[in-house]
Amino acid sequence: MKIIVPMAGRGSRLRPHTLTVPKPLIPIAGKPIVHRLVEDIAKVLNDKIEEIAFIIHESFGKDVEKDLITIAEKLGAKGTICYQNEALGTAHAILCAKESMQGPIVVAYADTLFRADFNLDKDADSVIWVKQVKDPSAFGVVKMNDKKQIIDFVEKPKEFVSDLAIIGIYYFKSGETLRSELEYLLDNNIIKGGEYQLTDALENMKQKGMLFMPGQVDEWMDCGNKNVTVDTNNRMLDFLEAENANYISPTVVNENSTIIPPCFIGDNVVLRNATVGPNVSLGENTKVENATIKNSLIQTNSIIRNANLDNAMVGNHAVYDGKHTNISIGDYSVLE
């Protein structure tokens, strides 16, 4: 089994945090979004992952590429870096990893997380992960027949046709078949909205009689902007606590401070006269003094003083000393 991970650009909706770090590498409960994504896919597949191909912009740099290769290796897989330097759509992005499209593959967009407990139907030509939503008009949705087979794909329907939203994770029994369909789109310049779309390839496959089945997830978490990313961090911490996972490092220095679970607290964090939690992630080497923090995501090597933070997101190597509550400051920022 191989996993194809289009990572697109850095993500403008999550600035300033993505000015220095691509969005899929922002940590959720102490682990990068893309790392958690491929781990959760591996659990659902219950199969050995041979290769993970990450599709990035070349400007991400060699340090990011090394981090991605490490993520793949931690799962016992080969890491491959592919480049998409021009935003020409989902079909074009996936095809940038065409050399890795052999045998069964999973395609997963790197800005989403999920929780699921289902058995993947590997007899299907394709499985599309979906989640029931309240407002399907904001999403691409699937329509099913009475056999629970997917018979149609509808992009942002104005009238109700289905409440099963496509979350951006797909299984294909034959990577070669998908590659051929994507190449057909590019070779024949089949474009919608100025881009080559994966849904056009899916529609062509469906018209040829290929079997599409749904893989329904229990939880779907977005990381599109600051507020939903903080909320995703909160929910992930709740899941980890329910699994009896302990994510407080034994190297934490605790001086007259209280930790209210669930929390992730990394190595060498220093807490002085602080109350931390619930739902807080603190990256390694961060210092918190005379502060109360809840429902917040603080990255590495930062300093928080004299603060009362709620629904806050702070980058790496940042310094914050102040009275504001709901803040979002990026890497190397200083606010005193």
Side-chain angles (χ1 to χ4, degrees):
M1 185 75 67
K2 299 182 179 183
I3 302 178
I4 311 294
V5 185
M7 293 177 57
R10 290 184 176 271
S12 59
R13 290 187 298 152
L14 201 50
R15 292 177 178 171
H17 303 278
T18 52
L19 291 173
T20 49
V21 177
K23 181 168 61 175
L25 290 180
I26 289 177
I28 296 295
K31 191 175 290 185
I33 295 168
V34 67
H35 194 168
R36 290 202 175 279
L37 173 65
V38 295
E39 276 188 342
D40 290 342
I41 291 171
K43 290 177 184 176
V44 170
L45 294 177
N46 194 27
D47 205 346
K48 177 176 173 53
I49 307 302
E50 299 173 8
E51 180 184 3
I52 304 175
F54 301 97
I55 302 160
I56 66 173
H57 194 282
E58 202 165 3
S59 66
F60 280 17
K62 295 302 178 183
D63 287 343
V64 168
E65 294 179 17
K66 289 178 183 177
D67 288 343
L68 293 172
I69 296 297
T70 299
I71 288 171
E73 290 174 346
K74 285 182 178 178
L75 289 169
K78 172 189 174 184
T80 301
I81 303 298
C82 308
Y83 300 113
Q84 185 196 29
N85 290 327
E86 189 176 1
L88 293 176
T90 53
H92 177 268
I94 296 165
L95 194 58
C96 290
K98 61 183 180 181
E99 301 303 325
S100 300
M101 297 173 71
Q102 301 170 9
I105 64 170
V106 168
V107 174
Y109 295 105
D111 60 353
T112 189
L113 292 172
F114 70 96
R115 289 267 140 162
D117 183 16
F118 66 88
N119 293 320
L120 187 70
D121 184 353
K122 294 182 181 178
D123 290 329
D125 294 298
S126 176
V127 175
I128 299 177
W129 273 253
V130 296
K131 176 72 173 70
Q132 191 172 29
V133 295
K134 292 181 180 179
D135 181 15
S137 66
F139 304 95
V141 300
V142 300
K143 189 175 179 180
M144 295 194 296
N145 61 18
D146 54 6
K147 297 180 181 179
K148 303 298 182 182
Q149 299 169 345
I150 295 173
I151 58 172
D152 203 3
F153 314 98
V154 183
E155 185 64 28
K156 296 181 180 180
K158 294 181 180 180
E159 297 180 1
F160 182 85
V161 295
S162 168
D163 60 1
L164 293 177
I166 300 170
I167 73 168
I169 307 176
Y170 311 80
Y171 163 81
F172 297 95
K173 183 164 64 174
S174 169
E176 293 88 348
T177 298
L178 177 63
R179 173 177 170 172
S180 176
E181 294 295 341
L182 297 178
E183 289 176 333
Y184 177 82
L185 298 182
L186 271 67
D187 290 344
N188 292 276
N189 201 33
I190 299 175
I191 293 177
K192 287 183 180 177
E195 297 182 337
Y196 300 98
Q197 303 292 351
L198 172 61
T199 48
D200 287 330
L202 300 181
E203 180 63 28
N204 289 343
M205 293 167 73
K206 179 174 68 69
Q207 293 295 334
K208 294 177 180 178
M210 297 184 185
L211 175 62
F212 288 81
M213 298 295 290
Q216 196 157 354
V217 301
D218 303 315
E219 295 282 347
W220 176 24
M221 294 163 282
D222 187 19
C223 300
N225 58 44
K226 171 256 182 179
N227 286 335
V228 298
T229 300
V230 171
D231 182 63
T232 291
N233 183 71
N234 295 351
R235 292 166 68 186
M236 185 60 67
L237 288 169
D238 286 337
F239 294 140
L240 296 175
E241 184 183 41
E243 296 168 2
N244 297 315
N246 180 16
Y247 282 91
I248 298 176
S249 170
T251 63
V252 171
V253 176
N254 186 331
E255 298 179 6
N256 192 35
S257 297
T258 301
I259 300 172
I260 304 172
C263 288
F264 168 86
I265 303 183
D267 291 340
N268 305 312
V269 167
V270 176
L271 305 176
R272 293 192 178 100
N273 302 313
T275 299
V276 174
N279 300 319
V280 172
S281 288
L282 298 177
E284 62 184 23
N285 303 315
T286 285
K287 295 180 174 60
V288 179
E289 301 177 1
N290 304 313
T292 298
I293 305 176
K294 61 182 178 181
N295 304 313
S296 294
L297 175 56
I298 317 295
Q299 297 191 48
T300 67
N301 299 284
S302 291
I303 298 174
I304 310 295
R305 300 191 193 100
N306 308 312
N308 183 6
L309 299 183
D310 186 5
N311 191 40
M313 188 168 175
V314 177
N316 302 281
H317 301 276
V319 176
Y320 177 74
D321 187 334
K323 297 181 179 179
H324 300 285
T325 300
N326 182 347
I327 65 171
S328 180
I329 60 175
D331 293 0
Y332 300 98
S333 299
V334 177
L335 190 58
E336 295 180 320

